[in-house]
Amino acid sequence: MDSKTTSIVAYITWIGLVIALVAGDREGAKFHLNQALVIWLAGLLGAIPCIGWLWGIFCFICAVMGLISAINGEEKEVPLLGRIKLLK
């Protein structure tokens, strides 16, 4: 997969993120792979009742923002979570 396709697939589901990490252009899409990983990990807090549901909605909105950014070929950080770097 090329870097743009890898970036788009990473935001779709957990399975897409794993496929993008394993089979995609990791160096070309490192920014979006990192953001998608951070968003999906932060989204796990959405399992907490009440407050977590709001956090889950926030993470979903961040995933949509990241997906739109990947489709447009831009590297825009999502709010709050965009500055966290897990992949080197």
Side-chain angles (χ1 to χ4, degrees):
M1 286 189 286
D2 65 338
S3 63
K4 185 173 183 177
T5 305
T6 302
S7 300
I8 293 169
V9 169
Y11 287 106
I12 296 182
T13 62
W14 276 100
I15 296 168
L17 178 63
V18 171
I19 291 170
L21 283 170
V22 173
D25 178 16
R26 206 165 170 208
E27 289 302 313
K30 186 184 291 187
F31 176 81
H32 289 290
L33 286 172
N34 183 67
Q35 277 205 155
L37 180 63
V38 170
I39 290 169
W40 291 118
L41 288 176
L44 292 175
L45 295 175
I48 300 170
C50 297
I51 302 288
W53 297 335
L54 294 174
W55 182 255
I57 292 169
F58 171 73
C59 288
F60 175 75
I61 291 169
C62 285
V64 170
M65 289 173 60
L67 179 63
I68 292 170
S69 174
I71 290 170
N72 291 332
E74 302 170 343
E75 290 188 358
K76 289 184 181 176
E77 292 182 347
V78 295
L80 293 177
L81 303 174
R83 295 184 185 255
I84 300 171
K85 304 292 183 223
L86 295 178
L87 299 176
K88 303 263 180 206

